[in-house]
DNA sequence: ACCTGAACACCGTTCAAGT
DNA sequence: ACCTGAACACCGTTCAAGT
């Protein structure tokens, strides 16, 4: 008999060995020595499997030490959520699932609670707290997805692309001027200071 | 002889009629009455085709009326970029392509220039201007991708999902309290005020 | 140049049938 | 209950060959 836990751990092994893009239900079942259709008796399908895997990762993610100041607590927690998600190579395949956070376990969404609590301490109404969280969530998801794709591009491929290196300086003066330096500037990790700016902007 | 323009307009027709998820190279070529492999003589592949389509859309997008105040100009332009992208049903398939903006035509990235210009007027260094743009870009991409997926979920499917409606109030008091109202709150479009908050936070 | 069918190397999911 | 092979309904891309 096959268990869900066995499936999840075999999936983790496969991802660790061959990469997330090689995780297919057919390969996974072959690896486990079972029929592909057997998987459907333990997980709803591919997407469900990936969400379950991410849920496990988030539950195991280290909880950051929380500063007493509510704003800084929001910053630290948002960065921790980003870091935990960015560590999952298959994150891009499930992150935009509708109602993604709602699919997670109570344990996995504790960081959401931390942010809502801190927002309330800062005087936010429940609606304002949800809006604050959602804005930070959109920001984190955008950053994660774009960076996830960048990581899978080799430097040679990147050099091939046009980018902003030679844009028409009459039509696009600033872009043409900064163009050659754009990749280096965009490569810096400025997520934390972005979150801090966002939080300060929202809380006034 | 087939031209790239013919391919693009046939692709637009197919998307309008059957939806973006039905746009495959095989279907497109069948629709056009040509061999699938013929497409490869005019576009690099599927991803290239989608980027070319989006490029066309962005070039045709209405340029918003620009307010004199630099900060408000950034807000209006960011919202315009979001609206233009959100109008493309296939946007989710190309938006996270590495160096996506760099693949676009000079005409299509004029809105990037508008934001860089306004940031410079606000006293930003070139680096700070790029950071400001990137933060807004991550925010917009996250919002677009998450909303794009929500749109393809039917209300019945959504009602089925757990969501935050019944969370453990001991572990997650704020989440449990706001849970039932979360979907309604999250459904509101607060993008513009989010952008304004972010811009104010970044520019101090 | 431009076009093509055949082939390669796969997918996720459903279903009726077995034990 | 749990498992299965076969089938369904497809994909994007490459390649050698044609006109």
């Amino acid at each position: 008999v096959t268990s869900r836990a066995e499936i999840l751990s075999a999936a983790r092994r496969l991802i660790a060995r061959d990469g997330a893009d090689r995780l297919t239900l057919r390969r996974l079942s072959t690896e486990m020595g079972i029929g592909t259709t057997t998987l459907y008796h333990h997980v709803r399908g591919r997407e469900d499997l990936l969400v379950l895997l991410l849920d496990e990762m988030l539950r195991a993610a280290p909880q950051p030490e929380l500063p007493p100041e509510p704003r800084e607590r929001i910053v630290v927690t948002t960065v921790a959520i980003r870091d935990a998600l960015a560590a999952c190579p298959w994150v891009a395949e499930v992150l935009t699932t509708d109602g993604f956070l709602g699919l997670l376990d109570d344990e996995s969404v504790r960081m959401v609670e931390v942010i809502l609590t801190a927002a309330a301490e800062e005087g936010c109404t429940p609606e304002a707290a949800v809006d604050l969280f959602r804005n930070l969530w959109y920001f984190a998801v955008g950053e994660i997805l774009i960076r996830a794709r960048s990581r899978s591009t080799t430097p040679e491929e990147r050099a091939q692309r046009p980018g902003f290196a030679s844009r028409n300086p009459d039509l696009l003066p600033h872009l043409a001027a900064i163009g050659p330096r754009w990749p280096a500037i965009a490569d810096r990790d400025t997520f934390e200071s972005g979150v801090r700016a966002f939080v300060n902007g929202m809380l006034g």
Side-chain angles (χ1 to χ4, degrees), chain A:
Chain A
V1 284
T2 313
S3 74
R4 180 184 274 202
E6 279 180 283
I7 293 173
L8 292 178
S9 90
R12 273 198 311 273
R13 264 203 314 279
L14 197 62
I15 288 171
R17 205 190 60 201
D18 298 343
D21 46 335
R22 306 302 295 272
L23 177 70
T24 65
L25 298 186
R26 284 164 189 268
R27 282 174 66 92
L28 178 59
S29 62
T30 305
E31 196 77 11
M32 294 179 73
I34 61 172
T36 304
T37 46
T38 304
L39 292 172
Y40 284 85
H41 292 275
H42 299 93
V43 295
R44 269 190 254 271
R46 179 176 156 76
E47 191 171 282
D48 186 42
L49 173 65
L50 293 173
V51 171
L52 289 170
L53 278 173
L54 205 57
D55 204 19
E56 276 194 334
M57 285 280 292
L58 287 177
R59 225 170 315 154
Q63 298 283 117
E65 198 157 339
L66 297 176
E69 219 273 300
R71 289 194 191 199
E72 208 48 34
R73 216 149 71 220
I74 296 174
V75 173
V76 165
T77 305
T78 305
V79 172
I81 292 174
R82 194 274 307 245
D83 290 345
L85 291 170
C88 304
W90 68 95
V91 71
E93 294 184 73
V94 281
L95 205 49
T96 58
T97 305
D98 186 37
F100 168 73
L101 287 167
L103 299 173
L104 301 178
D105 196 81
D106 278 0
E107 285 263 310
S108 305
V109 293
R110 267 187 311 192
M111 299 214 211
V112 179
E113 178 70 19
V114 171
I115 293 177
L116 294 180
T117 306
E121 282 177 48
E122 279 280 348
C124 286
T125 63
E127 284 85 1
V130 172
D131 287 344
L132 180 141
F133 172 77
R134 267 175 61 229
N135 282 341
L136 293 176
W137 177 245
Y138 292 151
F139 180 46
V141 167
E143 206 260 359
I144 291 163
L145 294 182
I146 289 169
R147 290 231 185 256
R149 283 283 193 110
S150 302
R151 266 202 299 277
S152 60
T153 311
T154 63
E156 301 92 73
E157 282 176 319
R158 195 166 310 185
Q160 225 78 47
R161 295 193 207 271
F164 296 131
S166 55
R167 296 292 184 161
N168 181 349
D170 296 320
L171 193 63
L172 311 164
H174 289 89
L175 204 49
I178 199 76
R181 289 169 55 210
W182 187 289
I185 296 173
D187 222 44
R188 289 145 56 235
D189 179 4
T190 59
F191 185 74
E192 183 174 326
S193 77
V195 172
R196 196 168 283 117
F198 212 166
V199 171
N200 285 331
M202 287 188 281
L203 295 177

